[in-house]
Amino acid sequence: MAEIRYIDGLRQAIEREMERDTSVIVLGEDVAVGGPFGVTAGLVERFGDRRVINTPISEDSIMGMATGAAIAGRRPIIEIMFIDFVTLAMSQLVNHAAKLRYMSGGQLSVPLVIRLQQGAVGGWGAQHSQSLEAWFQHVPGLKMVAPSNASDALGLLRAAIRDNDPVLFLEHRGLYFRKDEIPDPGTVPSLSTAKIMTPGNDLTIVTYSKMVWEAVAAAAELAQRGISAEIIDLRSLSPLDMDTLVRSVQRTHHALVVHEAVVHGGLGAEISARIQETAFDWLDAPVYRLGAPFAPVPASPVLEDAFVPNAKLIVRCAEQMIGP
Amino acid sequence: MAEIRYIDGLRQAIEREMERDTSVIVLGEDVAVGGPFGVTAGLVERFGDRRVINTPISEDSIMGMATGAAIAGRRPIIEIMFIDFVTLAMSQLVNHAAKLRYMSGGQLSVPLVIRLQQGAVGGWGAQHSQSLEAWFQHVPGLKMVAPSNASDALGLLRAAIRDNDPVLFLEHRGLYFRKDEIPDPGTVPSLSTAKIMTPGNDLTIVTYSKMVWEAVAAAAELAQRGISAEIIDLRSLSPLDMDTLVRSVQRTHHALVVHEAVVHGGLGAEISARIQETAFDWLDAPVYRLGAPFAPVPASPVLEDAFVPNAKLIVRCAEQMIGP
Amino acid sequence: MSGRRNYEGVAENSDILHRDMLQRMWLIRSFEERVIDLCHRKQLAGLVHVGIGQEGVAVGVATAMGDDDYLYGTHRSHGHFLARGADPNGLMAELAGKDTGCCRGRGGSMHIVEVGRRLMSATGIVGGTIPLALGTALVAREEGNVVAVYFGDGASNTGSFHECLNMASLWKLPVVLVCENNGYAEFTPMSAHTVVSHVSVHGQPYDMASQIVDGNDTLAVLEAARNAVVRARDGGGPTIVECLTYRLRGHYVGDPESYRKADEVDEWRGKDPIRRFTSVLRDRGAVTARDVRRMEESARARVEDAVRFMQESPWPSSASVADFVYA
Amino acid sequence: MSGRRNYEGVAENSDILHRDMLQRMWLIRSFEERVIDLCHRKQLAGLVHVGIGQEGVAVGVATAMGDDDYLYGTHRSHGHFLARGADPNGLMAELAGKDTGCCRGRGGSMHIVEVGRRLMSATGIVGGTIPLALGTALVAREEGNVVAVYFGDGASNTGSFHECLNMASLWKLPVVLVCENNGYAEFTPMSAHTVVSHVSVHGQPYDMASQIVDGNDTLAVLEAARNAVVRARDGGGPTIVECLTYRLRGHYVGDPESYRKADEVDEWRGKDPIRRFTSVLRDRGAVTARDVRRMEESARARVEDAVRFMQESPWPSSASVADFVYA
Ligand SMILES: Cc1ncc(C[n+]2csc(CCOP(=O)(O)OP(=O)(O)O)c2C)c(N)n1
Ligand SMILES: Cc1ncc(C[n+]2csc(CCOP(=O)(O)OP(=O)(O)O)c2C)c(N)n1
Ligand SMILES: [Mg+2]
Ligand SMILES: [Mg+2]
């Protein structure tokens, strides 16, 4: 099996789907030269500027354009660069892309992929580091995935492109250059199943995106301390694969949700609420959540370190949950 | 004590604060003639067009302008008409208004009130009926209140205007013409305390805005069936008055959260998660949530009725929780 | 007056075409007057905006378009859609929230879609369909089709409109931007929402083709729209067609209209596009008074059919509330 | 070169003023060159954009402003702020994330604020400060002050820019809209992001005053900015001052610059505003070669002080991560 970088997984997914299906098009700022991270580099040379459309800085209108192309039969992939800028495109995303199928009584279909890059890495500050996924889980009509590795970056992006609904595709800047093995190029995974990364018996850690790797590190440390943690990589943030979560918690009786986003009102809240609704009698302790404090993302590296959860915190929290 | 309409409470709050403090200004679309519901009617005649600014349809920029006036010493009240349109102003709201104090290391202050009208009433359809409060609880730097009655409309709006941080003020269209008694005009309440509407022993129903009245009706029905429900009107959605909630749940051992927003990822998720984190050992049953199904708001009156939670559903859910 | 219109073989400015146009204007007028009536009787719910007085724009533009061209509306689009052959039954049922509505009752007045007629969508978000139209134009240009999209004077203040002017001109997209300049954005007169005298001047920085027409002169609208459609189809890019018009009724059904003078409304009532178009056709001998009476009657009858259809239609089932959210 | 500048009593185009301007240009240049160096050494983190080559705009505009006027920047605003007297120590410490930074390390390069000098804020959101500037102008017009705000050619494609043109002209706000047209939005040349030849043409629909200047001619910028400031202060409303310039370095520190040719950069290096302004002053006899050398040296020394200050400053405490969120 080959090893590729997360960023290459993304590029390969787009390339393969563009080859396979001429209705796939790409829109976004600076996509012609590949964007700030090079994900789309080379595409315009290969597929031409009618399929790879380098746009002005006009987020709401690009989102609307992609939607208007989707309902007329295209499969647009739109790149919003930093998720912080999706704040400029919320009206088109939420009022049109997410609702057109419903409002039209099923007449319209919106096969649209919205690529969003996020994460607090490198001290880029409060307007280039947010984790906003919690907003989108609350919007009916949208789907959302967040790959933690190159293999999922490749596979889930292909699945998202083939899906007939708008899919938010959350990429973590801090994972772009991570390398992982990729599977047989023929397989395209399901868009909405969680994955057990590390099996375990004492505690279920539910997480996604970059925090998966903090959890994996924590699990190794916890194992040494005699605590067997099961790590679930959600992969799909909307819908949630509750079956996998609940089955795990029914075995471990303990659940901890970890994400990089601010804890308050984050995805962890929904997961916690759902777990206790469906597995209340199996829980030996409350579902706990780890995430960022209630503050904008600070620029200072020292403060950023204090802001983002890490393996050490996970270990400490798990130990407190399981007890001595 | 006088009885006034919710809408009059809003107007009186603005009038009184504008009289009291010349730094209070109003901005918004059609505010000169009072907006679609007449809340700001008469203000421009009284305070002039330098303090009551009728804007073009430019939501993001109006939000930015209000923020720019706030950091230079004004106390703007901006009206966004329908909360659905705040999707157009998310960048200025989230990237600037909410973060400027933090990003400036405390140099800037953003005393700003954002009036948002919401609710699924009258079949206005998917783009004029959303409940989006869950998004804003997740944004550090913002506060949020949602009055359920005229007295709170008056009092909380005055408190919001005097507050030195950006406050989202959620008005429910379905309450605009409701009448309630108002207290002594001298008192301005705290911005962040919940209120026990109906005391009870068997079950805590946590709710806010228009759903308070469904809960009150449900409590009356439940009382007849021998179940004593305590209704908590949150009033402040961010921050949450967890003390009041937890104290109540520690007595009743049962909690039900009710809101008009879509259940999945709604405010109820955070409240449920927090209650079980802090009062796990006191809970006799999982915290349950009632809200809208995972769909856009339908226009058809029949579907809208099926969409919005009501007293009957609350009664049914409470009975199931408490058991026979 | 229903079914697909096809003007192949019909001369460009023939009596037969113009009579059909007048007939459609009557259909729209009758439909919307009945809608107001039904709202007052609480038989229709929702936030309803009618375009009475603006039928000349709707019909002029629709007539210039080919059957495979795409159309996008606004919050005030019953007329835009009916002009292009939308089924009055499905539309009326949609406004009532019935299961037989064109959007199965999910959409309502501001969110109508009839994809079979390439009526791609209306919107409750001011200016919201302009970018959708540009996106559809990416597809249309490969097909040789054109996309028309309506917007108002108020919408010209939204940032997205300007973003779209830039992109439409940058890529020479086959888009016809139809401005219904009725002088008001809700309750705010144009002079209070912009210093600009005409919306179409916004095209100038982009060297965008534009034309200002009397929107109550139905044939002038048709002519301007035809030029724009031809330009778009021939690869000449976008055009702003600014139609100066007026809404004779309130912003929404129920609007107390405190913000404008009765005089102003009266003046514009004198410029009623249906009356004007009728006299043009009568002067030319293309219609008789009797023809006109018949048109009005047949329009009203058609609308009564629609009302009956609506009234006899079933409600959507409550259990279906979350259908159509995903594929 | 630090502390509040006050040009009262200094003649409008005196040598003393111009020398001070040149000195500030050197300060900015030295500061940003050192910033690049520190980024490469990993002593500064973050996403850093420098304006090397654009100092003439920064200093020209700042010099035209009064001490009580307000300024808003962009993502590329070290120079804008230093030109107006921002403290280099606080700025350097801010870029490093130290507790002594002007924003206590919370902001970083794109979010600098120094409210004491009415440097109201920079932003990481392209075009994001334009509406903030309009809002501050509501206050400034009551005080007799003016607000200047920077934006780029790329920002002219954002809808909000156009919304603000409309509102600024509608209310005749005392705003100076300074466009740094450096021909690129990130990696996209202007010809690929708009059909418009000059950003200032966007003012035309609103009859907005505008002026296009050679942004590398510092005195031309000063002159244009002065006219705009006077117009704003006198109630004449907003002006677009479009400064044609070029960034000699990449879009951000670390940009591989694959999207432009070395030739183009070389050509513009020949138009370096510091060199040009220096020869103007030398030709006029306002500075000697020695003066210039001293200026450069003193600028570098000042920057080294700032670096030392930054290096010796403490980090913010981890426990304070959620301070300053609310009042
Ligand atoms: C983004 C947005 N802001 C505000 C509104 C409220 N609103 C509905 S119609 C309207 C005025 C629109 O004016 P115009 O574009 O001229 O269209 P007209 O109603 O005159 O046909 C406004 C402000 C809205 N629907 N969407
Ligand atoms: C709203 C938004 N969209 C995209 C970006 C990413 N971005 C940062 S700078 C930039 C280009 C800005 O170009 P211009 O306005 O000309 O300023 P310059 O960088 O040339 O100084 C872009 C697209 C952003 N920061 N904000
Ligand atoms: Mg109008
Ligand atoms: Mg630029």
Side-chain angles (χ1 to χ4, degrees), chain A residues 92-106:
Chain A
Q92 284 296 339
L93 175 63
V94 172
N95 288 325
H96 291 135
K99 296 184 179 27
L100 278 173
R101 179 186 297 278
Y102 188 83
M103 293 193 303
S104 69

Side-chain angles (χ1 to χ4, degrees), chain B residues 30 33 35-36 54 56-58 81 85 88 122-128 293-303 306-307, chain C residues 45-47 96-97 105-108 110-111 123-126 154 157-158 185-188 193 315-318 321-322 325-326:
Chain B
D30 297 302
V33 296
N54 196 75
I57 309 173
S58 302
M81 214 185 277
F85 313 153
L88 285 151
W124 294 22
Q127 296 174 336
H128 282 70
F294 203 58
V297 185
S300 174
V302 167
L303 294 176
F307 186 85
Chain C
L47 179 57
R106 271 76 182 164
M110 292 189 283
H111 313 108
T123 184
I125 304 301
V126 168
N157 300 142
T158 66
E186 288 202 341
F187 324 124
T188 300
H193 71 62
W315 295 106
S317 82
S318 296
V321 66
V325 180
Y326 294 99

Side-chain angles (χ1 to χ4, degrees), chain D residues 7 52 85 94 110 112 156 189 199 207 249 288 294-295 314 320:
Chain D
Y7 296 119
I52 288 175
E94 185 59 32
M110 292 189 282
I112 48 182
S156 72
V199 169
D207 275 329
R249 300 301 185 93
T288 63
R294 281 219 186 122
M295 280 185 192
S320 72

Side-chain angles (χ1 to χ4, degrees), chain A residues 294, chain B residues 101 139-143 163-166 238-239, chain D residues 322-327:
Chain A
F294 203 59
Chain B
R101 179 185 297 278
V139 181
L142 300 180
K143 296 181 179 176
D163 197 83
N164 287 327
D165 288 306
S238 187
Chain D
D323 289 356
F324 305 119
V325 181
Y326 294 99

Side-chain angles (χ1 to χ4, degrees), chain B residues 198-229:
Chain B
T198 312
N201 300 314
D202 300 332
L203 164 74
T204 302
I205 301 180
V206 181
T207 186
Y208 53 92
S209 194
K210 186 155 174 272
M211 283 298 127
V212 166
W213 305 110
E214 297 296 326
V216 167
E221 176 66 30
L222 286 167
Q224 295 195 344
R225 303 184 189 198
I227 296 176
S228 157

